[in-house]
Structure formats: structure tokens, C-alpha cells
Amino acid sequence: MELGLAGRRALVTGAGKGIGRSTVQALCAAGVRVVAVSRTQADLDSLVGECPGVEPVCVDLADWEATERALSSMGPVDLLVNNAAVAQLEPFLGVTKEACDMSFNVNLRAVIQVSQIVARGMIARGVPGTIVNVSSQASQRALANHSHPACPAELCLSVQIRVNAVNPTVVMTPMGKANWSNPDKAKVMLDRIPLGKFAEVEDVVDAILFLLSNRSGMITGSTLPVDGGFLAT
């Protein structure tokens, strides 16, 4: 299906690994110019080697001032994918101040800041745009050891900027495989997923591309579960 994204410019956070990296690759293949944001320079270097033309930006999104300096003059952006996040799997009574601060700074505050920067540019240019936040099924259903807040489902903007979120189940990124490699732990979750499997990275990337494209032109303020039916059970 032609998504009509060619020639547009996108910014993807958390672009060094997993869902973010695969999203950058898919956008480049669709003819999109991509600004890739990661806190790890080595990941950006290898990504540029795979996708020549990607504009790398190395910054820790937990640092408000550094993020402002790095992104405030990056030029026009049509598409934003807020994917950067930290996953700290801890029981509620074990959550520390440091872990809570890190989760808040990256999973929530950075989403707001980066969205503000991009949205201001869209409004100043008088053009519509699209923002997709990569969240989690954990934002809508309580899960053991997932006490930290996930990325917000949507940011409400009163102009022609569509904002949606994808809410995947466990995704088979390297981090997902590491956290869910225990068969007994995985079985508890898989037994609650009607399709009986965890998501592959491509499942989430396809949903992101759809929400970025004009094929979803009448969809905004929505969350799209990519969870094999978990939230329906």
C-alpha cells in the first residue's frame, strides 16, 4: 500500500535500537528524510552506515537544556515519532526516586518537550503534521513490575496536527527478549494474548507508518493496540 510519505521529513527519537531503529529504516525506504535521535553515538554511526542520508543527533532526552539546544534549530519536521523510553521493571514498593525521575524525564517530559519543539515549527509554517507516540499496553492495563508511567497516549493539539499512539504488547527487540526470556514468566503473559505470541518489531513499525501516513487522515487522539488482543480479554 502506497503511504505517500516520500519527500517528507521525520524526526524519530530512540532511533538507535529496536522499534526506533527499524522505524528509521522503514521511513528511509519510503523516501522520507529522517532526523534520528539517540543518546548513543555508536548506534547512530552504524545507523548512518545502513541508511545514508539520515541526520544523526546525539543527545540525552532526559536533559531538558541539552535537548533544547540539540533540536531547536533542526529545521522543518513533518512527522514525529516519540519512541525513546526507559524500561525499569520494578515492583511498586521497590521503585526508587532515581528510577522514578528517570522514567518521568524520558517517558513523559521528553515527549512533551520534543512535541512542543516540533509542533511550534509546524504551526509557524502553517502546515499540518503528524505525531505518533510509542506507548505500551501497560499504560492501559496494570502489569506486574510495570509501575513506572508509560509514554502518554496522546497530546491534544488544537491545530491540524494529528496525534496518536501505538500501544504494543511485549515486542521482540533485544530488550524485550532479555526481559521475557524466562518461559514461565512469558507464559503468564502469552496466556492472556488471544493470538498466543508477542509482537515482532515490524508489527509495531507497520502501525507507526500507517498512523504517520495520509491513510489515517481521519484518525487523531486515538491509541492503537498492537497486542494480539490482550486488551480485549
mmCIF file of all heavy atoms in Angstrom, residues 77-118:
data_model
loop_
_atom_site.group_PDB
_atom_site.id
_atom_site.type_symbol
_atom_site.label_atom_id
_atom_site.label_comp_id
_atom_site.label_asym_id
_atom_site.label_seq_id
_atom_site.Cartn_x
_atom_site.Cartn_y
_atom_site.Cartn_z
ATOM 1 N N VAL A 77 10.054 19.883 10.358
ATOM 2 C CA VAL A 77 9.733 18.464 10.543
ATOM 3 C C VAL A 77 8.245 18.283 10.274
ATOM 4 O O VAL A 77 7.413 19.039 10.782
ATOM 5 C CB VAL A 77 10.089 17.993 11.972
ATOM 6 C CG1 VAL A 77 9.527 16.600 12.237
ATOM 7 C CG2 VAL A 77 11.594 18.009 12.185
ATOM 8 N N ASP A 78 7.905 17.285 9.470
ATOM 9 C CA ASP A 78 6.512 16.986 9.140
ATOM 10 C C ASP A 78 5.937 15.849 9.972
ATOM 11 O O ASP A 78 4.728 15.794 10.215
ATOM 12 C CB ASP A 78 6.394 16.596 7.666
ATOM 13 C CG ASP A 78 7.021 17.625 6.748
ATOM 14 O OD1 ASP A 78 6.541 18.768 6.743
ATOM 15 O OD2 ASP A 78 8.003 17.280 6.054
ATOM 16 N N LEU A 79 6.809 14.934 10.390
ATOM 17 C CA LEU A 79 6.387 13.714 11.074
ATOM 18 C C LEU A 79 7.251 13.518 12.305
ATOM 19 O O LEU A 79 8.476 13.637 12.232
ATOM 20 C CB LEU A 79 6.526 12.494 10.162
ATOM 21 C CG LEU A 79 5.997 12.607 8.726
ATOM 22 C CD1 LEU A 79 6.491 11.437 7.891
ATOM 23 C CD2 LEU A 79 4.477 12.664 8.737
ATOM 24 N N LEU A 80 6.642 13.193 13.429
ATOM 25 C CA LEU A 80 7.393 12.942 14.661
ATOM 26 C C LEU A 80 7.000 11.598 15.245
ATOM 27 O O LEU A 80 5.811 11.307 15.398
ATOM 28 C CB LEU A 80 7.116 14.049 15.688
ATOM 29 C CG LEU A 80 7.619 13.809 17.123
ATOM 30 C CD1 LEU A 80 9.131 13.654 17.160
ATOM 31 C CD2 LEU A 80 7.162 14.931 18.051
ATOM 32 N N VAL A 81 8.003 10.794 15.570
ATOM 33 C CA VAL A 81 7.771 9.530 16.280
ATOM 34 C C VAL A 81 8.493 9.620 17.620
ATOM 35 O O VAL A 81 9.717 9.581 17.683
ATOM 36 C CB VAL A 81 8.271 8.313 15.483
ATOM 37 C CG1 VAL A 81 8.008 7.025 16.265
ATOM 38 C CG2 VAL A 81 7.595 8.247 14.117
ATOM 39 N N ASN A 82 7.717 9.775 18.697
ATOM 40 C CA ASN A 82 8.268 9.787 20.057
ATOM 41 C C ASN A 82 8.408 8.345 20.528
ATOM 42 O O ASN A 82 7.451 7.746 21.037
ATOM 43 C CB ASN A 82 7.344 10.563 21.004
ATOM 44 C CG ASN A 82 7.459 12.056 20.836
ATOM 45 O OD1 ASN A 82 8.553 12.610 20.859
ATOM 46 N ND2 ASN A 82 6.326 12.716 20.668
ATOM 47 N N ASN A 83 9.591 7.787 20.335
ATOM 48 C CA ASN A 83 9.801 6.381 20.660
ATOM 49 C C ASN A 83 10.728 6.173 21.854
ATOM 50 O O ASN A 83 10.659 5.143 22.515
ATOM 51 C CB ASN A 83 10.374 5.662 19.432
ATOM 52 C CG ASN A 83 10.864 4.264 19.748
ATOM 53 O OD1 ASN A 83 10.072 3.360 19.972
ATOM 54 N ND2 ASN A 83 12.185 4.099 19.807
ATOM 55 N N ALA A 84 11.586 7.145 22.147
ATOM 56 C CA ALA A 84 12.563 6.979 23.227
ATOM 57 C C ALA A 84 11.863 6.694 24.553
ATOM 58 O O ALA A 84 10.870 7.334 24.907
ATOM 59 C CB ALA A 84 13.433 8.223 23.352
ATOM 60 N N ALA A 85 12.386 5.727 25.287
ATOM 61 C CA ALA A 85 11.804 5.378 26.587
ATOM 62 C C ALA A 85 12.803 4.555 27.374
ATOM 63 O O ALA A 85 13.731 3.961 26.809
ATOM 64 C CB ALA A 85 10.507 4.586 26.407
ATOM 65 N N VAL A 86 12.627 4.551 28.667
ATOM 66 C CA VAL A 86 13.394 3.659 29.527
ATOM 67 C C VAL A 86 12.419 2.667 30.145
ATOM 68 O O VAL A 86 11.283 3.023 30.471
ATOM 69 C CB VAL A 86 14.161 4.428 30.621
ATOM 70 C CG1 VAL A 86 15.240 5.290 30.004
ATOM 71 C CG2 VAL A 86 13.225 5.272 31.465
ATOM 72 N N ALA A 87 12.861 1.430 30.281
ATOM 73 C CA ALA A 87 12.027 0.390 30.891
ATOM 74 C C ALA A 87 12.738 -0.120 32.129
ATOM 75 O O ALA A 87 13.785 -0.761 32.035
ATOM 76 C CB ALA A 87 11.787 -0.754 29.908
ATOM 77 N N GLN A 88 12.188 0.219 33.282
ATOM 78 C CA GLN A 88 12.757 -0.229 34.548
ATOM 79 C C GLN A 88 11.710 -1.079 35.247
ATOM 80 O O GLN A 88 10.753 -0.542 35.811
ATOM 81 C CB GLN A 88 13.167 0.974 35.395
ATOM 82 C CG GLN A 88 14.154 1.889 34.650
ATOM 83 C CD GLN A 88 14.633 3.035 35.491
ATOM 84 O OE1 GLN A 88 15.467 2.846 36.379
ATOM 85 N NE2 GLN A 88 14.127 4.222 35.235
ATOM 86 N N LEU A 89 11.887 -2.379 35.171
ATOM 87 C CA LEU A 89 10.871 -3.307 35.674
ATOM 88 C C LEU A 89 11.086 -3.524 37.172
ATOM 89 O O LEU A 89 11.969 -4.259 37.594
ATOM 90 C CB LEU A 89 10.949 -4.628 34.911
ATOM 91 C CG LEU A 89 10.846 -4.517 33.387
ATOM 92 C CD1 LEU A 89 10.819 -5.899 32.754
ATOM 93 C CD2 LEU A 89 9.616 -3.710 32.984
ATOM 94 N N GLU A 90 10.255 -2.859 37.961
ATOM 95 C CA GLU A 90 10.377 -2.928 39.408
ATOM 96 C C GLU A 90 8.986 -3.033 40.035
ATOM 97 O O GLU A 90 8.028 -2.432 39.527
ATOM 98 C CB GLU A 90 11.046 -1.653 39.950
ATOM 99 C CG GLU A 90 12.466 -1.430 39.457
ATOM 100 C CD GLU A 90 12.996 -0.069 39.890
ATOM 101 O OE1 GLU A 90 12.283 0.925 39.668
ATOM 102 O OE2 GLU A 90 14.102 -0.011 40.433
ATOM 103 N N PRO A 91 8.873 -3.763 41.140
ATOM 104 C CA PRO A 91 7.595 -3.779 41.857
ATOM 105 C C PRO A 91 7.333 -2.414 42.466
ATOM 106 O O PRO A 91 8.264 -1.640 42.739
ATOM 107 C CB PRO A 91 7.810 -4.847 42.934
ATOM 108 C CG PRO A 91 9.287 -4.882 43.151
ATOM 109 C CD PRO A 91 9.900 -4.593 41.811
ATOM 110 N N PHE A 92 6.079 -2.094 42.704
ATOM 111 C CA PHE A 92 5.697 -0.776 43.189
ATOM 112 C C PHE A 92 6.467 -0.364 44.441
ATOM 113 O O PHE A 92 6.979 0.762 44.533
ATOM 114 C CB PHE A 92 4.191 -0.749 43.471
ATOM 115 C CG PHE A 92 3.722 0.531 44.101
ATOM 116 C CD1 PHE A 92 3.652 1.702 43.355
ATOM 117 C CD2 PHE A 92 3.357 0.572 45.440
ATOM 118 C CE1 PHE A 92 3.235 2.895 43.936
ATOM 119 C CE2 PHE A 92 2.936 1.756 46.023
ATOM 120 C CZ PHE A 92 2.875 2.916 45.268
ATOM 121 N N LEU A 93 6.586 -1.267 45.396
ATOM 122 C CA LEU A 93 7.241 -0.915 46.653
ATOM 123 C C LEU A 93 8.751 -0.796 46.515
ATOM 124 O O LEU A 93 9.419 -0.321 47.438
ATOM 125 C CB LEU A 93 6.891 -1.943 47.740
ATOM 126 C CG LEU A 93 5.416 -1.964 48.167
ATOM 127 C CD1 LEU A 93 5.182 -3.034 49.229
ATOM 128 C CD2 LEU A 93 4.978 -0.603 48.691
ATOM 129 N N GLY A 94 9.286 -1.206 45.367
ATOM 130 C CA GLY A 94 10.725 -1.115 45.164
ATOM 131 C C GLY A 94 11.164 0.052 44.303
ATOM 132 O O GLY A 94 12.352 0.236 44.043
ATOM 133 N N VAL A 95 10.207 0.865 43.857
ATOM 134 C CA VAL A 95 10.535 1.994 42.980
ATOM 135 C C VAL A 95 11.294 3.057 43.766
ATOM 136 O O VAL A 95 10.838 3.518 44.815
ATOM 137 C CB VAL A 95 9.262 2.606 42.375
ATOM 138 C CG1 VAL A 95 9.614 3.844 41.551
ATOM 139 C CG2 VAL A 95 8.550 1.586 41.511
ATOM 140 N N THR A 96 12.460 3.442 43.266
ATOM 141 C CA THR A 96 13.274 4.462 43.915
ATOM 142 C C THR A 96 13.014 5.836 43.303
ATOM 143 O O THR A 96 12.462 5.945 42.211
ATOM 144 C CB THR A 96 14.766 4.141 43.766
ATOM 145 O OG1 THR A 96 15.110 4.195 42.368
ATOM 146 C CG2 THR A 96 15.091 2.759 44.308
ATOM 147 N N LYS A 97 13.427 6.870 44.005
ATOM 148 C CA LYS A 97 13.293 8.225 43.487
ATOM 149 C C LYS A 97 14.058 8.372 42.182
ATOM 150 O O LYS A 97 13.569 8.991 41.219
ATOM 151 C CB LYS A 97 13.807 9.240 44.502
ATOM 152 C CG LYS A 97 13.763 10.684 43.990
ATOM 153 C CD LYS A 97 14.349 11.636 45.008
ATOM 154 C CE LYS A 97 14.267 13.081 44.508
ATOM 155 N NZ LYS A 97 15.067 13.292 43.274
ATOM 156 N N GLU A 98 15.270 7.808 42.134
ATOM 157 C CA GLU A 98 16.098 7.923 40.941
ATOM 158 C C GLU A 98 15.436 7.257 39.734
ATOM 159 O O GLU A 98 15.417 7.807 38.632
ATOM 160 C CB GLU A 98 17.481 7.309 41.187
ATOM 161 C CG GLU A 98 18.345 8.062 42.177
ATOM 162 C CD GLU A 98 17.908 7.886 43.630
ATOM 163 O OE1 GLU A 98 17.185 6.897 43.920
ATOM 164 O OE2 GLU A 98 18.277 8.742 44.465
ATOM 165 N N ALA A 99 14.867 6.074 39.944
ATOM 166 C CA ALA A 99 14.199 5.368 38.853
ATOM 167 C C ALA A 99 12.940 6.120 38.413
ATOM 168 O O ALA A 99 12.652 6.223 37.215
ATOM 169 C CB ALA A 99 13.836 3.946 39.285
ATOM 170 N N CYS A 100 12.216 6.672 39.375
ATOM 171 C CA CYS A 100 11.003 7.424 39.045
ATOM 172 C C CYS A 100 11.353 8.686 38.254
ATOM 173 O O CYS A 100 10.690 9.013 37.268
ATOM 174 C CB CYS A 100 10.265 7.789 40.330
ATOM 175 S SG CYS A 100 8.614 8.446 40.068
ATOM 176 N N ASP A 101 12.401 9.383 38.686
ATOM 177 C CA ASP A 101 12.827 10.593 37.984
ATOM 178 C C ASP A 101 13.238 10.275 36.549
ATOM 179 O O ASP A 101 12.874 11.007 35.608
ATOM 180 C CB ASP A 101 13.996 11.258 38.714
ATOM 181 C CG ASP A 101 13.560 11.967 39.994
ATOM 182 O OD1 ASP A 101 12.343 12.165 40.169
ATOM 183 O OD2 ASP A 101 14.439 12.304 40.804
ATOM 184 N N MET A 102 13.995 9.206 36.361
ATOM 185 C CA MET A 102 14.444 8.847 35.015
ATOM 186 C C MET A 102 13.267 8.489 34.122
ATOM 187 O O MET A 102 13.180 8.927 32.962
ATOM 188 C CB MET A 102 15.433 7.680 35.082
ATOM 189 C CG MET A 102 15.913 7.200 33.709
ATOM 190 S SD MET A 102 16.717 8.498 32.730
ATOM 191 C CE MET A 102 18.246 8.690 33.643
ATOM 192 N N SER A 103 12.326 7.700 34.636
ATOM 193 C CA SER A 103 11.156 7.328 33.848
ATOM 194 C C SER A 103 10.338 8.561 33.481
ATOM 195 O O SER A 103 9.898 8.707 32.331
ATOM 196 C CB SER A 103 10.275 6.346 34.626
ATOM 197 O OG SER A 103 10.901 5.092 34.751
ATOM 198 N N PHE A 104 10.141 9.449 34.437
ATOM 199 C CA PHE A 104 9.364 10.663 34.166
ATOM 200 C C PHE A 104 10.072 11.543 33.139
ATOM 201 O O PHE A 104 9.451 12.053 32.204
ATOM 202 C CB PHE A 104 9.149 11.449 35.462
ATOM 203 C CG PHE A 104 8.409 12.743 35.265
ATOM 204 C CD1 PHE A 104 7.024 12.758 35.207
ATOM 205 C CD2 PHE A 104 9.091 13.939 35.121
ATOM 206 C CE1 PHE A 104 6.328 13.950 35.017
ATOM 207 C CE2 PHE A 104 8.417 15.133 34.926
ATOM 208 C CZ PHE A 104 7.032 15.138 34.872
ATOM 209 N N ASN A 105 11.376 11.722 33.308
ATOM 210 C CA ASN A 105 12.127 12.627 32.426
ATOM 211 C C ASN A 105 12.143 12.152 30.983
ATOM 212 O O ASN A 105 12.054 12.973 30.051
ATOM 213 C CB ASN A 105 13.560 12.778 32.935
ATOM 214 C CG ASN A 105 13.636 13.551 34.235
ATOM 215 O OD1 ASN A 105 12.670 14.187 34.656
ATOM 216 N ND2 ASN A 105 14.777 13.476 34.890
ATOM 217 N N VAL A 106 12.259 10.844 30.771
ATOM 218 C CA VAL A 106 12.367 10.316 29.410
ATOM 219 C C VAL A 106 11.001 9.920 28.851
ATOM 220 O O VAL A 106 10.656 10.267 27.716
ATOM 221 C CB VAL A 106 13.323 9.100 29.360
ATOM 222 C CG1 VAL A 106 13.381 8.519 27.950
ATOM 223 C CG2 VAL A 106 14.723 9.504 29.829
ATOM 224 N N ASN A 107 10.206 9.220 29.632
ATOM 225 C CA ASN A 107 8.956 8.652 29.118
ATOM 226 C C ASN A 107 7.818 9.660 29.015
ATOM 227 O O ASN A 107 6.862 9.436 28.266
ATOM 228 C CB ASN A 107 8.498 7.489 30.003
ATOM 229 C CG ASN A 107 9.453 6.315 29.954
ATOM 230 O OD1 ASN A 107 10.495 6.376 29.310
ATOM 231 N ND2 ASN A 107 9.114 5.247 30.638
ATOM 232 N N LEU A 108 7.906 10.739 29.765
ATOM 233 C CA LEU A 108 6.832 11.730 29.734
ATOM 234 C C LEU A 108 7.348 13.122 29.362
ATOM 235 O O LEU A 108 6.944 13.706 28.357
ATOM 236 C CB LEU A 108 6.110 11.792 31.079
ATOM 237 C CG LEU A 108 5.023 12.866 31.200
ATOM 238 C CD1 LEU A 108 3.930 12.657 30.153
ATOM 239 C CD2 LEU A 108 4.430 12.875 32.602
ATOM 240 N N ARG A 109 8.272 13.638 30.170
ATOM 241 C CA ARG A 109 8.703 15.021 29.962
ATOM 242 C C ARG A 109 9.340 15.233 28.596
ATOM 243 O O ARG A 109 9.060 16.229 27.914
ATOM 244 C CB ARG A 109 9.685 15.438 31.063
ATOM 245 C CG ARG A 109 9.908 16.934 31.145
ATOM 246 C CD ARG A 109 10.887 17.281 32.237
ATOM 247 N NE ARG A 109 12.247 16.878 31.875
ATOM 248 C CZ ARG A 109 13.311 17.069 32.656
ATOM 249 N NH1 ARG A 109 13.152 17.638 33.843
ATOM 250 N NH2 ARG A 109 14.518 16.676 32.264
ATOM 251 N N ALA A 110 10.178 14.294 28.171
ATOM 252 C CA ALA A 110 10.831 14.437 26.867
ATOM 253 C C ALA A 110 9.824 14.385 25.723
ATOM 254 O O ALA A 110 9.991 15.066 24.705
ATOM 255 C CB ALA A 110 11.890 13.350 26.684
ATOM 256 N N VAL A 111 8.773 13.586 25.876
ATOM 257 C CA VAL A 111 7.725 13.527 24.849
ATOM 258 C C VAL A 111 7.060 14.888 24.711
ATOM 259 O O VAL A 111 6.821 15.383 23.596
ATOM 260 C CB VAL A 111 6.683 12.441 25.196
ATOM 261 C CG1 VAL A 111 5.525 12.476 24.206
ATOM 262 C CG2 VAL A 111 7.334 11.063 25.202
ATOM 263 N N ILE A 112 6.759 15.505 25.844
ATOM 264 C CA ILE A 112 6.148 16.831 25.819
ATOM 265 C C ILE A 112 7.101 17.847 25.185
ATOM 266 O O ILE A 112 6.704 18.630 24.305
ATOM 267 C CB ILE A 112 5.765 17.258 27.242
ATOM 268 C CG1 ILE A 112 4.654 16.358 27.782
ATOM 269 C CG2 ILE A 112 5.337 18.732 27.273
ATOM 270 C CD1 ILE A 112 4.329 16.577 29.244
ATOM 271 N N GLN A 113 8.367 17.837 25.612
ATOM 272 C CA GLN A 113 9.316 18.830 25.102
ATOM 273 C C GLN A 113 9.553 18.695 23.608
ATOM 274 O O GLN A 113 9.485 19.682 22.866
ATOM 275 C CB GLN A 113 10.649 18.704 25.843
ATOM 276 C CG GLN A 113 11.662 19.756 25.402
ATOM 277 C CD GLN A 113 13.022 19.580 26.041
ATOM 278 O OE1 GLN A 113 13.348 18.510 26.547
ATOM 279 N NE2 GLN A 113 13.822 20.629 26.020
ATOM 280 N N VAL A 114 9.831 17.480 23.152
ATOM 281 C CA VAL A 114 10.103 17.279 21.731
ATOM 282 C C VAL A 114 8.860 17.596 20.897
ATOM 283 O O VAL A 114 8.950 18.205 19.826
ATOM 284 C CB VAL A 114 10.595 15.841 21.462
ATOM 285 C CG1 VAL A 114 10.786 15.607 19.969
ATOM 286 C CG2 VAL A 114 11.914 15.580 22.202
ATOM 287 N N SER A 115 7.697 17.214 21.388
ATOM 288 C CA SER A 115 6.452 17.519 20.672
ATOM 289 C C SER A 115 6.222 19.021 20.596
ATOM 290 O O SER A 115 5.750 19.534 19.574
ATOM 291 C CB SER A 115 5.266 16.838 21.352
ATOM 292 O OG SER A 115 5.383 15.427 21.308
ATOM 293 N N GLN A 116 6.542 19.744 21.668
ATOM 294 C CA GLN A 116 6.414 21.195 21.647
ATOM 295 C C GLN A 116 7.318 21.808 20.581
ATOM 296 O O GLN A 116 6.887 22.673 19.807
ATOM 297 C CB GLN A 116 6.785 21.787 23.012
ATOM 298 C CG GLN A 116 5.746 21.591 24.092
ATOM 299 C CD GLN A 116 6.206 22.179 25.417
ATOM 300 O OE1 GLN A 116 7.403 22.304 25.676
ATOM 301 N NE2 GLN A 116 5.257 22.518 26.270
ATOM 302 N N ILE A 117 8.561 21.370 20.537
ATOM 303 C CA ILE A 117 9.520 21.907 19.572
ATOM 304 C C ILE A 117 9.024 21.681 18.149
ATOM 305 O O ILE A 117 9.022 22.588 17.316
ATOM 306 C CB ILE A 117 10.906 21.267 19.781
ATOM 307 C CG1 ILE A 117 11.503 21.697 21.126
ATOM 308 C CG2 ILE A 117 11.854 21.643 18.638
ATOM 309 C CD1 ILE A 117 12.762 20.938 21.512
ATOM 310 N N VAL A 118 8.591 20.455 17.865
ATOM 311 C CA VAL A 118 8.132 20.115 16.514
ATOM 312 C C VAL A 118 6.824 20.833 16.186
ATOM 313 O O VAL A 118 6.658 21.381 15.093
ATOM 314 C CB VAL A 118 7.976 18.584 16.379
ATOM 315 C CG1 VAL A 118 7.283 18.225 15.065
ATOM 316 C CG2 VAL A 118 9.341 17.904 16.456
#
